[in-house]
Amino acid sequence: MKVIPFKIPKPSKELIRYQVDCQPYFYDKLHQHPEIQLSCILEGEGKLIVGDYIGRFGPGDIFLLGQNVPHVFRSDDLYYQPGETSQSHSIILFFDLRAFGEAFWAAEEMQEVKEFFEQMNGCYRVNLTAPDSFREQVRQLQHKQNLEKVVSALQLVNVLMHQATLQRLNLADQMHNLSEREGKRMEQVLEFLVEESHRTLTLEEVASVANMSREAFCRFFKERTRKTLVTFLNELRLSNACQALLHSDQTIASIAFTCGFANLSHFNRVFVKTIGITPREFRRQATVNKV
């Protein structure tokens, strides 16, 4: 399957596509598509990678992605294990702006919506005062057809415009609308980093995955993530470390080595610089919050 572009399975003139993903793990390849995407995560946890952003997703999260924004919801390793019964479950709406036609977007009444969509060039976390009510409105869309479906979808857009706070996650737009060749290369690199971040990696080794020289790869990677390979790897490893601190009883030293840090002092230094507190304090606070 081609990673870039990704074709949403729907009739060519369908304005809004309602899709349920319920499987052991989410589609784990970097991909982009011309439709606006609204994702409601119901079950499953993992990493969301969009441009220079590496963060967590989990049940209850709602994300909004603009057109042709390369992204991947990478489920945690747990979901890939044979015999694992946990599920990854999400509801997704795809808005095909092209299917509405030029005359629709030229109407005076649609200018606010048009401007809202045109300014959406990244990935956003959707924060709402009544998220459960919003998710239920999204769920109800599966039972609606024709004009009622379109009107209900636009009502959801109205909530996003006037009642939601959209938190931009990726700061850079260099990964916006990648060519197919760039997308495949970036997907190969990201997949390699996610799979191999637990061990020592050299710049030469990662550059070889992209079939590039060290110098060319450094430019390619930083132009598209606005981060050096070392910074990106550290953030990836810290994401794994935080999950281990929260969900395992491993020692901090063991977690540091398991996640790919060469020594404990370096792990502690990077953790404090990025997270703001020590790993020990992070674990302690998480334990207190559970009580």
Side-chain angles (χ1 to χ4, degrees):
M1 178 180 289
K2 291 184 178 180
V3 177
I4 303 282
F6 184 80
K7 185 173 177 59
I8 305 303
K10 70 179 187 63
S12 60
K13 295 299 182 181
E14 187 176 32
L15 305 179
I16 298 101
R17 175 71 172 179
Y18 180 96
Q19 178 174 306
V20 176
D21 284 349
C22 189
Q23 51 209 349
Y25 49 85
F26 292 131
Y27 181 68
D28 57 4
K29 307 299 182 184
L30 182 72
H31 62 286
Q32 68 183 26
H33 43 74
E35 294 83 3
I36 301 286
Q37 176 176 332
L38 177 69
S39 291
C40 300
I41 309 296
L42 304 181
E43 295 180 81
E45 296 183 58
K47 299 181 189 66
L48 169 59
I49 301 177
V50 187
D52 58 355
Y53 175 78
I54 305 173
R56 299 287 303 171
F57 68 81
D61 285 337
I62 303 174
F63 299 99
L64 189 62
L65 294 109
Q67 293 177 288
N68 293 313
V69 174
H71 60 280
V72 58
F73 288 87
R74 169 79 186 199
S75 300
D76 285 336
D77 291 343
L78 163 73
Y79 296 89
Y80 293 82
Q81 300 304 314
E84 175 57 43
T85 58
S86 300
Q87 288 287 300
S88 298
H89 184 192
S90 69
I91 298 175
I92 307 173
L93 293 186
F94 296 102
F95 297 85
D96 189 346
L97 307 188
R98 304 160 302 174
F100 282 89
E102 293 183 7
F104 179 84
W105 294 116
E108 181 66 30
E109 293 85 351
M110 297 308 301
Q111 293 311 296
E112 184 182 21
V113 179
K114 180 183 178 183
E115 182 178 347
F116 173 72
F117 282 139
E118 286 178 343
Q119 292 178 351
M120 193 176 302
N121 61 356
C123 178
Y124 305 82
R125 185 184 299 275
V126 179
N127 299 306
L128 293 154
T129 55
D132 291 340
S133 174
F134 183 82
R135 276 189 291 271
E136 184 56 32
Q137 285 180 266
V138 175
R139 282 181 187 272
Q140 290 304 313
L141 210 62
Q142 66 183 309
H143 304 299
K144 299 181 179 180
Q145 297 179 349
N146 304 323
L147 182 60
E148 186 181 16
K149 178 182 179 183
V150 175
V151 171
S152 297
L154 289 176
Q155 288 174 339
L156 289 171
V157 173
N158 190 58
V159 172
L160 293 172
M161 290 193 302
H162 299 293
Q163 298 178 30
T165 300
L166 302 183
Q167 176 191 356
R168 172 115 186 201
L169 300 180
N170 61 315
L171 300 178
D173 59 2
Q174 280 86 346
M175 281 183 68
H176 185 265
N177 202 19
L178 292 179
S179 68
E180 182 173 344
R181 181 182 179 186
E182 289 176 324
K184 285 184 176 179
R185 176 172 282 168
M186 200 67 200
E187 190 277 329
Q188 289 172 338
V189 170
L190 291 180
E191 183 175 11
F192 178 78
L193 294 178
V194 169
E195 294 291 341
E196 303 296 332
S197 62
H198 63 279
R199 63 179 179 86
T200 300
L201 296 173
T202 65
L203 177 56
E204 290 83 1
E205 186 177 7
V206 182
S208 69
V209 173
N211 197 27
M212 303 174 79
S213 68
R214 286 178 36 147
E215 295 73 17
F217 174 77
C218 286
R219 290 194 300 271
F220 171 82
F221 193 81
K222 192 163 187 179
E223 283 174 0
R224 285 152 186 81
T225 65
R226 290 187 66 179
K227 293 177 181 176
T228 65
L229 177 63
V230 170
T231 299
F232 190 90
L233 258 178
N234 280 341
E235 292 184 4
L236 195 57
R237 288 165 172 161
L238 283 179
S239 176
N240 294 333
C242 286
Q243 289 306 297
L245 288 167
L246 292 173
H247 302 299
S248 79
D249 57 2
Q250 288 180 271
T251 66
I252 292 175
S254 176
I255 290 172
F257 294 125
T258 300
C259 291
F261 288 93
N263 56 70
L264 182 58
S265 62
H266 180 233
F267 171 63
N268 285 328
R269 187 164 57 251
V270 172
F271 198 99
V272 171
K273 181 179 179 181
T274 306
I275 308 298
I277 55 177
T278 65
R280 190 176 304 280
E281 179 63 16
F282 179 87
R283 173 177 268 176
R284 189 194 69 80
Q285 289 184 11
T287 302
V288 169
N289 291 335
K290 286 181 181 179
V291 177

